[in-house]
Amino acid sequence: MPVIGLGVFKMDDGESVYDTVSSALEIGYRHIDTASTYRNEEGVGRAIADSGIPREEIFVTTKVWNDEQGYEETLAAFDRSLKRLNLDYVDLYLVHWPIPGMYKDTWQALEKIYRDKRARAIGVSNFHPHHSDDLMKDVTIKPMINQIELHPQLSQVEVREYCKEHGIAVEAWSPIGKATYLDHPVLKELAEKYNRTAAQIMIRWDYQNDIITIPKSVHADRQKENADIFDFELSNEDMEKIESLNSGNRLGTDPDTVSLDSF
């Protein structure tokens, strides 16, 4: 699984997501993250097909949405996603949110999809440790990845430690905090020190913490910038400076309050 991918949340289907995914693949991205609720799987699939890149070289993630959860419902939702993507399989299929009373049945469907080799990996998204503990009481296959909101102001230490203990990879959505605090003095100081952008500093912080990351950008120059983080290294002291920004600043929904009526 490539450690940096392209997120396509809130990208309109059609030319917008098609052009964005096409430019990312041309730059060198090989990891695309979508979801059924994004309503752009068709455009993602079309861009992948038209890229000329062998299918096995591109890592594709999609997710089952909240009102699609349940055993039979998830199997049907997965079929719809595959059809829209025009793929025979996905590389990663995720439970998008821990909907109370539903995510266990949903997970049983993901296990079947995995056993049938229609998804090469399965995981969860937005699960707190107590959700994962509850889920794993009844699993045959444990989640391989937990994709969570994670950025320096919401560093999710408890979730990261839980995942490390249980051998679950951590993936960050909104890794640059929706660009809401790129002008923070600490980030500006480090950007100047390393001759990088604040976004690159944040993505490099993810990388050095073994966090997979999916920054979103519709602009080719930003896509290239976001992926250009492998030729410098943050010092331990600077890693700690970034970690000190943690304030619990959640920009999305708290998984403990999520329900079918949340969105």
Side-chain angles (χ1 to χ4, degrees):
M1 184 177 186
V3 295
I4 294 181
L6 176 75
V8 297
F9 176 56
K10 286 192 174 180
M11 292 186 193
D12 292 336
D13 205 8
E15 295 310 306
S16 176
V17 76
Y18 178 86
D19 291 344
T20 299
V21 172
S22 296
S23 67
L25 292 172
E26 184 175 348
I27 287 166
Y29 282 73
R30 293 297 182 267
H31 174 185
I32 309 297
D33 181 280
T34 185
S36 64
T37 194
Y38 299 170
R39 302 184 184 278
N40 58 23
E41 290 171 312
E42 289 185 7
V44 169
R46 189 160 56 93
I48 290 170
D50 290 350
S51 71
I53 299 167
R55 168 66 186 94
E56 62 271 16
E57 294 182 13
I58 303 175
F59 193 101
V60 180
T61 299
T62 194
K63 313 173 191 77
V64 58
W65 186 237
N66 302 339
D67 62 6
E68 299 171 319
Q69 290 197 38
Y71 185 79
E72 295 294 343
E73 294 85 350
T74 296
L75 295 178
F78 182 76
D79 286 341
R80 292 193 295 270
S81 283
L82 274 192
K83 183 176 181 180
R84 288 190 291 261
L85 287 162
N86 194 27
L87 298 176
D88 297 324
Y89 69 92
V90 296
D91 297 276
L92 176 62
Y93 197 46
L94 300 177
V95 182
H96 210 147
W97 289 90
I99 299 301
M102 300 181 76
Y103 60 78
K104 286 192 176 185
D105 288 340
T106 301
W107 185 257
Q108 295 302 314
L110 264 66
E111 289 194 358
K112 175 174 172 52
I113 290 165
Y114 177 75
R115 287 194 299 268
D116 290 346
K117 299 184 179 180
R118 302 173 73 205
R120 296 191 169 181
I122 52 177
V124 297
S125 183
N126 302 302
F127 273 49
H128 285 325
H130 71 86
H131 296 123
S132 297
D133 275 340
D134 182 50
L135 179 66
M136 288 202 287
K137 293 174 184 176
D138 303 300
V139 304
T140 301
I141 303 164
K142 73 178 182 181
M144 300 165 189
I145 287 176
N146 188 4
Q147 183 185 114
I148 54 176
E149 179 184 348
L150 197 160
H151 44 85
Q153 287 191 347
L154 186 70
S155 61
Q156 298 266 34
V157 174
E158 181 185 3
V159 180
R160 285 159 55 194
E161 289 178 349
Y162 179 95
C163 288
K164 183 176 182 179
E165 179 183 348
H166 291 86
I168 300 169
V170 175
E171 184 175 13
W173 63 261
S174 194
I176 59 174
K178 298 185 179 179
T180 57
Y181 57 94
L182 293 177
D183 59 351
H184 190 284
V186 169
L187 295 174
K188 289 178 70 175
E189 172 198 338
L190 296 178
E192 183 175 348
K193 175 179 177 178
Y194 290 93
N195 193 28
R196 297 286 171 159
T197 66
Q200 287 174 313
I201 295 296
M202 297 165 88
I203 295 168
R204 179 70 198 191
W205 174 79
D206 275 343
Y207 177 68
Q208 289 183 218
N209 276 316
D210 296 322
I211 296 165
I212 302 158
T213 184
I214 46 170
K216 168 195 167 185
S217 179
V218 300
H219 303 292
D221 56 343
R222 290 284 178 83
Q223 293 171 358
K224 187 173 182 180
E225 174 188 298
N226 289 340
D228 186 21
I229 56 94
F230 296 105
D231 59 351
F232 75 104
E233 183 173 356
L234 298 168
S235 69
N236 290 337
E237 179 184 2
D238 291 336
M239 289 288 289
E240 290 173 4
K241 284 183 181 179
I242 298 169
E243 195 76 39
S244 73
L245 298 182
N246 184 34
S247 62
N249 179 26
R250 189 178 293 277
L251 302 173
T253 301
D254 187 335
D256 278 336
T257 66
V258 73
S259 71
L260 286 175
D261 300 323
S262 296
F263 301 92

